[in-house]
Amino acid sequence: MCWPFGHRCRLGLGYSLVGGLPTFRWRVGEMEVAETIRPTADGTALARSFELKGRIPPALKFKSSDKMSISTESAVLDGNGRLTITLTPRP
């Protein structure tokens, strides 16, 4: 499964480092995903930014786990096909 999208995904489209931050690329069905991971300003959580291209579903759902909470359980893409969620470790 391809968290947070809950579908089988094809990894291996590569990654790059920009300003020391990793961006990973993969495909979910007909949608290509580029994910950049960065620490939040206060350093207590991670922000995951997604840029989506191709066939993008009308809605995306995210699930928290027993170890991590997320900032939203559903998200709307901005006009550039991007969205950001924040992962915070649970105590």
Side-chain angles (χ1 to χ4, degrees), residues 4-22:
F5 298 104
H7 301 283
R8 293 188 185 273
C9 63
R10 178 178 162 218
L11 298 174
L13 296 181
Y15 75 95
S16 59
L17 293 174
V18 177
L21 299 172

Side-chain angles (χ1 to χ4, degrees), residues 14-16 22-26 33-37:
Y15 75 95
S16 59
T23 296
F24 301 95
R25 289 179 177 71
W26 69 86
V33 179
E35 175 188 4
T36 302
I37 302 171

Side-chain angles (χ1 to χ4, degrees), residues 6-69:
H7 301 283
R8 293 188 185 273
C9 63
R10 178 178 162 218
L11 298 174
L13 296 181
Y15 75 95
S16 59
L17 293 174
V18 177
L21 299 172
T23 296
F24 301 95
R25 289 179 177 71
W26 69 86
R27 184 175 299 282
V28 180
E30 296 179 34
M31 178 176 63
E32 187 173 315
V33 179
E35 175 188 4
T36 302
I37 302 171
R38 65 178 43 90
T40 57
D42 64 7
T44 62
L46 293 174
R48 296 174 70 180
S49 297
F50 298 92
E51 183 173 344
L52 310 176
K53 295 179 181 176
R55 181 179 252 171
I56 300 170
L60 298 171
K61 300 246 182 219
F62 300 91
K63 287 189 161 192
S64 296
S65 72
D66 59 341
K67 295 182 181 180
M68 301 292 275
S69 65

Side-chain angles (χ1 to χ4, degrees), residues 31 50-52 56-58 60 75-84:
M31 178 176 63
F50 298 92
E51 183 173 344
L52 310 176
I56 300 170
L60 298 171
V76 176
L77 299 172
D78 70 14
N80 296 315
R82 294 186 185 122
L83 63 93
T84 299

